[in-house]
Amino acid sequence: SRACCPRSAAMERPSMRAVHTASAALALCLVALAGWHLQNRDTHFELFSKSAAAAAPQQTTELSWLQTSSFVDQIYMYAGLAVDNKHETGFIAKEIRKHNYQTVVRLFTSLDDATVRAVLWDQSVHCLVWPPLVRYPGISETAKTDLRAYAAAGNNVVFLGNYVAVQFMNDVFGFQLTDDYQNGPYYRNDRNVRNTPFQYLPSRIEQASIETYAVKTRSLPPGGKSMLDTLGATIAFAVRYDMGTVCYVGYNYNTPFHADQWTRVLHSAIDM
């Protein structure tokens, strides 16, 4: 029986080696599995990050538009005989205040020298809106001079849509704008919109109706920049006028079709 003991011990040694080998292999498998999980987690996180990044630009644009510096708190808008008061004025005032309910829209109806001067010399209001004109406004040379001085002093004059407005702008500011017509859609001019409220607009604005009134881009005066255009015609532009701006949006706001897009264009022009 003593002779059997060494043989038993010798037989146990290979068995122990097999156990150690199996344990080591199992440990390596566990390490490899843990590494695979870590790599797979990183891959999933990377894919999620890329998906989130892809969705971010549109979301960021929308948020930026809503969270830009506060919108103007007061606006003067002409509502006299040269505009269609029954339809245009009330609707446009409502659209101006959409998402900007703190904004007060002050209407004036007379274009006599005293009224125009009172409006333009009001130091608390820095934006004047001319709705689409149905006839040429009867305004004196004195009032035109005051209007130029108002823009030059750092204020913003916004004209909305049609060729009567284009002619009025030419007469008041000495522009030589030439009317044009091109079917939409109209595209954001990324070279010109940088650092302006127009940069937050969608890259493409649909044509809301046939009553869009463009201007030949090449007819813009020095300091004029097209913000929305197509095929050499600009539907929205801004002209630097001394310290202020003169803006134009070639749409008459007579239909709710694509209204949200065109309301944002209006807000961008007012906020220049």
Side-chain angles (χ1 to χ4, degrees):
S1 61
R2 287 181 191 149
C4 292
C5 290
R7 187 179 305 159
S8 298
M11 292 176 65
E12 286 176 1
R13 278 196 290 271
S15 298
M16 291 301 294
R17 287 197 200 98
V19 170
H20 287 308
T21 301
S23 299
L26 180 61
L28 287 172
C29 287
L30 290 173
V31 170
L33 183 62
W36 181 86
H37 275 299
L38 287 172
Q39 182 179 6
N40 197 46
R41 184 192 65 182
D42 292 342
T43 302
H44 281 303
F45 179 75
E46 183 179 355
L47 289 173
F48 174 78
S49 300
K50 287 180 179 178
S51 298
Q58 181 64 27
Q59 214 169 23
T60 302
T61 300
E62 297 293 334
L63 291 173
S64 298
W65 173 62
L66 292 172
Q67 296 175 358
T68 47
S69 57
S70 59
F71 194 66
V72 293
D73 58 354
Q74 296 185 77
I75 293 169
Y76 271 115
M77 184 165 71
Y78 173 65
L81 295 175
V83 300
D84 185 353
N85 284 296
K86 291 182 180 178
H87 305 291
E88 305 280 354
T89 309
F91 179 72
I92 291 173
K94 179 181 176 182
E95 293 303 292
I96 289 173
R97 298 186 69 245
K98 183 180 283 187
H99 307 302
N100 302 295
Y101 300 110
Q102 81 288 350
T103 300
V104 176
V105 179
R106 299 184 179 183
L107 304 179
F108 67 101
T109 58
S110 174
L111 290 177
D112 65 70
D113 291 351
T115 301
V116 172
R117 183 159 291 185
V119 167
L120 300 180
W121 286 18
D122 187 339
Q123 297 296 313
S124 64
V125 184
H126 302 286
C127 182
L128 170 62
V129 175
W130 294 86
L133 301 168
V134 296
R135 61 183 63 85
Y136 194 91
I139 186 170
S140 72
E141 292 302 318
T142 299
K144 290 178 182 178
T145 300
D146 287 344
L147 193 52
R148 288 192 292 271
Y150 176 80
N155 299 299
N156 185 21
V157 185
V158 179
F159 293 88
L160 305 181
N162 54 36
Y163 298 136
V164 179
V166 172
Q167 185 59 52
F168 188 40
M169 295 169 72
N170 285 342
D171 291 347
V172 172
F173 295 100
F175 299 158
Q176 295 181 341
L177 302 170
T178 305
D179 57 81
D180 193 6
Y181 182 84
Q182 293 289 345
N183 289 319
Y186 306 101
Y187 298 93
R188 186 184 64 206
N189 190 317
D190 289 335
R191 181 179 60 182
N192 293 336
V193 300
R194 283 178 293 182
N195 300 318
T196 77
F198 288 92
Q199 70 182 337
Y200 302 114
L201 292 178
S203 60
R204 165 178 165 148
I205 301 293
E206 300 297 332
Q207 183 172 357
S209 75
I210 61 170
E211 296 189 50
T212 50
Y213 305 88
V215 166
K216 291 184 186 299
T217 305
R218 66 173 181 266
S219 72
L220 294 180
K225 291 185 176 182
S226 172
M227 303 299 177
L228 294 169
D229 49 53
T230 187
L231 300 175
T234 174
I235 202 72
F237 62 83
V239 179
R240 173 61 63 184
Y241 194 83
D242 204 344
M243 296 175 62
T245 50
V246 179
C247 296
Y248 174 77
V249 177
Y251 178 56
N252 67 0
Y253 292 87
N254 67 341
T255 173
F257 191 56
H258 292 303
D260 285 344
Q261 285 191 332
W262 287 95
T263 296
R264 290 179 61 179
V265 177
L266 172 60
H267 289 174
S268 298
I270 288 172
D271 213 23
M272 281 294 288

